[in-house]
């Protein structure tokens, strides 16, 4: 399978601190690649760098989306990168709390729709049609994710687990070819994590989306990942199938700990 | 036990107030007879008055807090009265009917003075709705909004003075100049947020005013521009009396137009992007929204209304000078938005009427007018900090897969 994103020698510095250190990573078509590592390893920083929130001090990110448009995305702004088909969720939930659940997802449709100011004021046929399609599409995503019962609630009033799911729904609305999930199971109970497990596999299978997943819940990681990459102090220290990673002595020492193997 | 401590607190408050007001309420120098009068009776009034007020005040605060605790659970399902009015046709249609009859008959019942006040209130409705786009929807704290108002006013004043252009020709030009200056302000502040943005916009407002005040060759300095033409009625000039009524109806039309446009804007792709920008700038950008375009469009569309109102202001008063465009003006418009409820059209309309009409009708209380006005504002903000109407979002009804987007106006 060909890679949809190739990260080459990516480096991010914060003053004296090197949060990501010459990292190489490929994400292949329709795969679930998990990124694990101890706290402060630089996983979220890598996401921020891919999505254009931080600029790398070295290295490059090259994309080859299935729909065409290959090229590097270095130096592009976050909104352009999203439009090119890479989208993400946030470790600390960042919804729009005073907008409804449906509106949150509709915001995700923004970069795939085109109504402008004149369209909004005169509300012609084309705008009406687009608006209706946006509502329908967004609702459809909520149904698929399984939170359509909250459609008109304020996002800020949702239970924690549902907020995490809404972040995924909103990200899907942008029609990505690559979805970056930053600790989607954090704070979820085992039952919710089970639902999430099935959901992530379903997204990959039905939508033809590659998924790069940061997660500390090893049960989830081991059960759904095709491959796992391990980071420590900004460097990639291992990469392989769940089986290989589970038995890799370096990973056990740096992150998993002896008791995980036992 | 509790009662006792409450009484003690109120007692201390009253002592404090007696002390504070001592110089103005008790001592009076009589310059004619060259004696000092000691009005001890006033001190007793102040003491008793502040004792009772502070007691009642704290009682109300306690009521409010216990009420909040009790209601928090079912608060979400309780629709506020004003929203209920908008949703139920049985209430909404008669209300609109009464309002339109009142609005149309107003100038024929009341004096020109009253009509003028009402026109001013309507102007602030439009100004409030314009600033609401910037502050309420997009969440960009703009303290220099009056600058665009001034730009509109001087656009008309100067074009009328030099070239004799009429109101109707300049109205769109004023709106355009407002938008242009909105973008001009927008560019340098794109990267700023919160306090920094507030300071820079404040500075921008002052710069515009100072330029107008000092650039004598261009704007005639502090003496301003006089004898600006009133709006013509299909080419005919009207008498003062008729012009007042005419401008009143013109203002009603513009206010309705503004409500229509702003309502459509806020329920559109652009409007949602503004709100998302207000809610979380980073998430907004990560979801594919162009921050630059969104901010600039908010500044431009907000300033458009101020530019238009500037033209109307110049035409209504026939005289403008920089003194009309001080920071106080920005502060009043901002208060309208905050008092009415950020992001709510109905709220801003009510806020404008309250803030403009209240001081006028409080004139009966002569010198206590501004004191009362301030007290009412403080009480409002303590008991309804979210504004008269809090954040109401559009809801959609779904019947299974068959979807019909329905709006609750
Ligand atoms: N904006 C920033 N400025 C300075 N240092 C930063 C910044 N963001 C992250 N860091 C530092 O970079 C390092 C990596 O942080 P990062 O958030 O990427 O870790 P992480 O792998 O996501 O950890 P966790 O599992 O706890 O989420 C940390 O030492 C952190 O303190
Ligand atoms: Mg992290």
């Amino acid at each position: 399978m060909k890679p949809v994103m190739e990260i080459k020698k990516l480096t991010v510095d914060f003053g004296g601190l090197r949060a990501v250190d010459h990292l190489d990573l490929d994400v292949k078509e329709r795969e679930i690649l998990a990124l694990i590592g101890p706290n402060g390893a630089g996983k979220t920083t890598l996401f921020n760098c891919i999505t254009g929130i931080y600029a790398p001090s070295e290295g490059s990110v090259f994309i080859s989306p299935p729909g065409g448009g290959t090229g590097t995305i270095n130096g592009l702004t976050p909104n352009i990168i999203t439009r090119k088909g890479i989208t993400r969720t946030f470790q600390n939930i960042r919804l729009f709390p005073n907008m409804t659940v449906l509106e949150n997802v509709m915001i995700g449709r923004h970069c795939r729709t085109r109504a402008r100011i004149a369209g909004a004021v005169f509300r012609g046929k084309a705008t009406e049609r687009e608006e209706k399609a946006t509502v329908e599409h967004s609702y459809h995503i909520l149904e698929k994710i399984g939170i359509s019962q909250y459609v008109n609630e304020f996002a800020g009033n949702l239970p924690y687990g549902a907020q995490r799911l809404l972040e995924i729904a909103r990200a899907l609305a942008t029609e990505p070819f690559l979805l970056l999930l930053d600790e989607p199971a954090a704070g979820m109970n085992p039952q919710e994590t089970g639902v999430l497990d099935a959901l992530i596999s379903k997204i990959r299978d039905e939508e033809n989306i590659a998924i790069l997943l940061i997660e500390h819940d090893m049960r989830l990681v081991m059960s759904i990942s095709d491959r796992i990459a391990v980071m420590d102090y900004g460097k990639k220290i291992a990469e392989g199938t769940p089986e290989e990673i589970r038995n890799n002595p370096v990973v056990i020492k740096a992150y998993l700990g002896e008791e995980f193997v036992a | 036990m509790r009662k006792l401590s409450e009484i003690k607190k109120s007692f201390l408050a009253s002592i404090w107030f007696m002390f504070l007001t001592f110089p103005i309420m008790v001592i009076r120098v009589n310059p004619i007879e060259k004696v000092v009068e000691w009005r001890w009776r006033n001190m007793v009034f102040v003491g008793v008055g502040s004792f009772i007020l502070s007691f009642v005040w704290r009682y109300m605060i306690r009521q409010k807090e216990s009420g909040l605790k009790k209601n928090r659970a079912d608060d979400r399902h309780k629709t506020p009265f004003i929203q209920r009015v908008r949703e139920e046709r049985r209430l909404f249609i008669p209300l609109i009917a009464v309002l339109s009859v009142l609005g149309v008959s107003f100038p024929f019942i009341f004096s020109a003075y009253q009509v003028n006040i009402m026109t001013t209130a309507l102007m602030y409705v439009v100004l409030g709705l314009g600033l609401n786009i910037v502050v309420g929807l997009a969440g960009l704290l703009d303290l220099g909004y009056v600058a665009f108002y001034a730009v509109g006013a001087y656009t008309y004043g100067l074009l009328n003075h030099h070239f004799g252009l009429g109101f109707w020709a300049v109205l769109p030009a004023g709106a355009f100049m407002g938008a242009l200056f909105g973008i001009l302000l927008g560019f340098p502040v794109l990267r700023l947020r919160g306090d920094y943005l507030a300071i820079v916009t404040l500075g921008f407002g002052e710069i515009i005013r100072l330029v107008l005040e000092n650039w004598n060759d261009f704007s005639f300095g502090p003496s301003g521009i006089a004898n600006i033409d009133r709006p013509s009625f299909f080419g005919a000039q009207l008498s003062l009396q008729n012009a007042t009524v005419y401008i009143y109806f013109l203002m009603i039309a513009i206010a309705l137009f503004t409500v229509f446009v702003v309502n459509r804007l806020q329920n559109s792709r652009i409007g949602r992007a503004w709100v998302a920008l207000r809610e979380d700038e980073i998430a907004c950008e990560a979801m594919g929204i162009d921050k630059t375009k969104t901010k600039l469009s908010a500044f431009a569309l907000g300033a458009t209304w101020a530019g238009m109102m500037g033209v109307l202001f110049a035409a209504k008063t026939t005289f403008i000078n920089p003194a009309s465009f001080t920071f106080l003006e920005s502060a009043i418009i901002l208060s309208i938005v905050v008092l009415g409820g950020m992001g709510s059209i109905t709220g801003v309309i009510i806020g404008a009427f309250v803030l403009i009409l209240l001081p006028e009708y409080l004139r009966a209380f002569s010198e206590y007018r501004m004191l009362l006005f301030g007290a009412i504002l403080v009480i409002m903000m303590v008991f309804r900090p979210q504004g008269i109407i809090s954040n109401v979002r559009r809801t959609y009804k779904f019947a299974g897969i068959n979807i019909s987007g329905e709006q609750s106006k």
Side-chain angles (χ1 to χ4, degrees):
Chain A
M1 267 187 294
K2 74 177 201 339
V4 288
M5 178 174 74
E6 295 163 77
I7 299 173
K8 294 225 173 71
K9 297 213 170 6
L10 199 77
T11 305
V12 182
D13 291 313
F14 294 117
L17 180 83
R18 182 152 282 190
V20 178
D21 192 357
H22 292 92
L23 189 101
D24 293 302
L25 194 68
D26 290 355
V27 183
K28 301 197 169 63
E29 230 176 324
R30 298 193 61 177
E31 85 169 333
I32 298 179
L33 172 61
L35 186 62
I36 62 173
N39 293 111
K43 307 180 294 291
T44 300
T45 306
L46 176 68
F47 271 23
N48 285 336
C49 196
I50 296 170
T51 54
I53 294 175
Y54 296 151
S57 36
E58 230 182 284
S60 65
V61 181
F62 187 86
I63 58 167
S64 18
T70 48
T72 72
I73 54 171
N74 290 40
L76 299 179
T77 53
N79 58 303
I80 301 286
I81 292 174
T82 303
R83 209 167 60 213
K84 284 188 178 290
I86 300 180
T87 187
R88 68 174 298 180
T89 66
F90 291 90
Q91 182 173 357
N92 322 306
I93 298 176
R94 298 193 89 119
L95 291 168
F96 308 117
N98 290 309
M99 297 176 88
T100 66
V101 166
L102 187 76
E103 283 177 319
N104 267 270
V105 183
M106 285 165 84
I107 288 292
R109 298 298 301 154
H110 188 96
C111 60
R112 304 289 172 220
T113 46
R114 46 198 322 149
R116 293 172 155 265
I117 292 164
V121 174
F122 299 115
R123 204 169 280 179
K125 277 248 167 55
T127 313
E128 284 279 4
R129 210 176 312 125
E130 183 185 275
E131 190 73 9
K132 188 157 174 283
T134 303
V135 172
E136 280 173 22
H137 192 126
S138 306
Y139 185 73
H140 186 66
I141 293 175
L142 286 177
E143 278 186 323
K144 190 153 52 187
I145 302 294
I147 49 173
S148 60
Q149 72 270 34
Y150 298 117
V151 62
N152 284 322
E153 296 263 358
F154 280 130
N157 291 346
L158 254 53
Y160 193 79
Q163 291 197 9
R164 286 237 174 258
L165 292 180
L166 178 54
E167 276 228 344
I168 298 178
R170 185 179 68 175
L172 284 179
T174 66
E175 292 176 22
F177 69 87
L178 172 62
L179 179 60
L180 312 180
L181 300 175
D182 198 345
E183 302 197 17
M188 282 188 170
N189 62 35
Q191 193 203 342
E192 286 171 326
T193 309
V195 173
L196 183 72
D197 186 329
L199 184 68
I200 294 176
S201 314
K202 187 170 124 183
I203 291 170
R204 187 263 310 267
D205 296 341
E206 291 180 4
E207 312 281 329
N208 194 12
I209 294 175
I211 292 170
L212 180 56
L213 166 81
I214 297 176
E215 189 47 68
H216 284 296
D217 184 328
M218 276 309 122
R219 278 244 304 275
L220 178 67
V221 168
M222 292 297 169
S223 82
I224 62 172
S225 312
D226 300 311
R227 285 190 308 138
I228 299 177
V230 190
M231 271 180 90
D232 195 18
Y233 292 110
K235 288 196 172 73
K236 185 170 79 180
I237 58 170
E239 189 176 345
T241 63
E243 205 50 46
E244 288 162 5
I245 294 298
R246 199 197 306 260
N247 300 319
N248 185 323
V250 182
V251 178
I252 291 169
K253 184 153 173 297
Y255 181 53
L256 294 179
E258 303 294 339
E259 71 271 30
F260 183 80
V261 185
Chain B
M1 202 54 228
R2 167 137 192 208
K3 277 265 164 60
L4 211 67
S5 84
E6 287 294 311
I7 289 173
K8 206 171 115 194
K9 270 189 205 156
S10 295
F11 184 69
L12 284 175
S14 74
I15 299 271
W16 179 234
F17 262 82
M18 284 193 280
F19 175 72
L20 277 182
T21 56
F22 184 79
I24 51 165
M25 296 304 283
V26 180
I27 307 172
R28 183 155 82 179
V29 180
N30 190 328
I32 299 165
E33 293 167 15
K34 299 216 165 103
V35 289
V36 175
E37 290 173 28
W38 299 90
R39 298 175 296 171
W40 295 110
R41 200 142 54 104
N42 276 357
M43 189 160 164
V44 177
F45 288 152
V46 168
V48 173
S50 50
F51 181 82
I52 293 171
L53 272 182
S54 104
F55 204 79
V56 170
W57 175 258
R58 260 177 300 111
Y59 175 76
M60 276 162 68
I61 294 270
R62 266 206 316 282
Q63 285 296 92
K64 180 198 163 200
E65 269 163 12
S66 64
L68 268 187
K69 250 175 245 151
K70 228 180 294 161
N71 284 343
R72 191 153 293 160
D74 49 33
D75 211 28
R76 241 181 273 154
H77 305 288
K78 214 173 65 186
T79 23
F81 174 72
I82 292 170
Q83 196 188 338
R84 230 171 50 221
V85 169
R86 290 196 303 181
E87 274 165 11
E88 278 185 41
R89 311 202 108 207
R90 203 158 44 84
L91 295 170
F92 188 63
I93 290 175
L95 186 78
I96 290 295
V98 168
L99 281 182
S100 14
V101 169
L102 252 174
V104 170
S105 55
F106 191 86
F108 306 109
I109 303 172
F110 294 97
S111 66
Y113 172 73
Q114 299 285 348
V115 174
N116 250 325
I117 293 174
M118 202 45 92
T119 308
T120 307
L122 286 167
M123 285 173 66
Y124 279 90
V125 166
V126 174
L127 288 168
L129 288 173
L131 186 61
N132 185 41
I133 291 177
V134 186
V135 179
L137 295 179
L140 305 162
L141 185 49
D142 181 354
L143 295 182
Y145 191 63
V146 73
F148 311 122
Y149 191 39
V151 164
Y154 271 85
T155 303
Y156 182 45
L158 290 170
L159 287 177
N160 185 259
H161 181 87
H162 293 301
F163 307 107
L165 289 183
F167 171 82
W168 288 106
V170 183
L171 192 65
F176 176 78
M177 287 300 282
L180 192 71
F181 272 76
I183 292 172
L184 230 59
L185 167 67
F187 265 113
V189 301
L190 274 177
R191 291 167 171 278
L192 302 181
R193 265 194 265 187
D195 315 357
Y196 302 103
L197 177 66
I199 292 167
V200 174
T201 52
L202 179 71
F204 179 78
E206 285 302 286
I207 288 171
I208 296 279
R209 188 177 63 79
L210 288 172
V211 165
L212 291 174
E213 206 158 271
N214 292 298
W215 193 357
N216 287 328
D217 298 337
F218 173 71
S219 64
F220 304 102
S223 52
I225 305 168
N227 294 322
I228 302 168
D229 289 333
R230 292 203 173 77
S232 60
F233 184 67
F234 295 109
Q237 288 299 327
L238 299 167
S239 69
L240 177 59
Q241 176 72 30
N242 285 344
T244 306
V245 175
Y246 176 49
I247 294 178
Y248 168 82
F249 281 114
L250 201 64
M251 222 18 260
I252 287 196
I254 296 179
L256 288 176
F257 173 69
T258 312
V259 170
F260 173 80
V261 171
V262 172
N263 182 47
R264 283 209 157 170
L265 279 176
Q266 101 177 10
N267 285 318
S268 73
R269 172 172 175 268
I270 311 281
R272 283 191 298 271
W274 287 335
V275 179
L277 189 73
R278 173 191 81 191
E279 293 287 294
D280 190 325
E281 205 169 306
I282 290 179
C284 173
E285 229 189 340
M287 285 306 117
I289 291 174
D290 187 334
K291 209 168 65 176
T292 311
K293 266 193 205 159
T294 308
K295 274 191 184 176
L296 287 181
S297 67
F299 273 119
L301 279 168
T304 304
W305 303 107
M308 260 170 98
M309 280 306 98
V311 175
L312 197 114
F313 174 76
K316 173 170 170 280
T317 56
T318 70
F319 168 72
I320 51 170
N321 73 348
S324 308
F325 309 106
T326 56
F327 169 67
L328 183 69
E329 209 67 17
S330 295
I332 290 175
I333 304 168
L334 185 66
S335 311
I336 287 172
V337 176
V338 175
L339 182 87
M342 302 245 256
S344 156
I345 293 179
T346 324
V348 169
I349 295 173
I350 296 173
F353 278 105
V354 169
L355 271 174
I356 302 305
L357 297 185
L358 208 58
E360 290 300 333
Y361 294 123
L362 283 177
R363 274 187 202 283
F365 299 93
S366 59
E367 57 253 52
Y368 296 108
R369 173 168 87 106
M370 277 321 196
L371 189 71
L372 268 175
F373 182 60
I376 291 170
L377 282 192
V378 170
I379 290 172
M380 264 301 301
M381 283 293 104
V382 168
F383 289 96
R384 254 198 107 69
Q386 72 276 46
I388 295 168
I389 298 187
S390 53
N391 185 25
V392 180
R393 300 299 311 171
R394 180 176 170 171
T395 58
Y396 295 81
K397 290 197 176 65
F398 296 94
I401 321 281
N402 274 333
I403 296 154
S404 60
E406 199 173 295
Q407 178 161 13
S408 64
K409 264 239 171 97

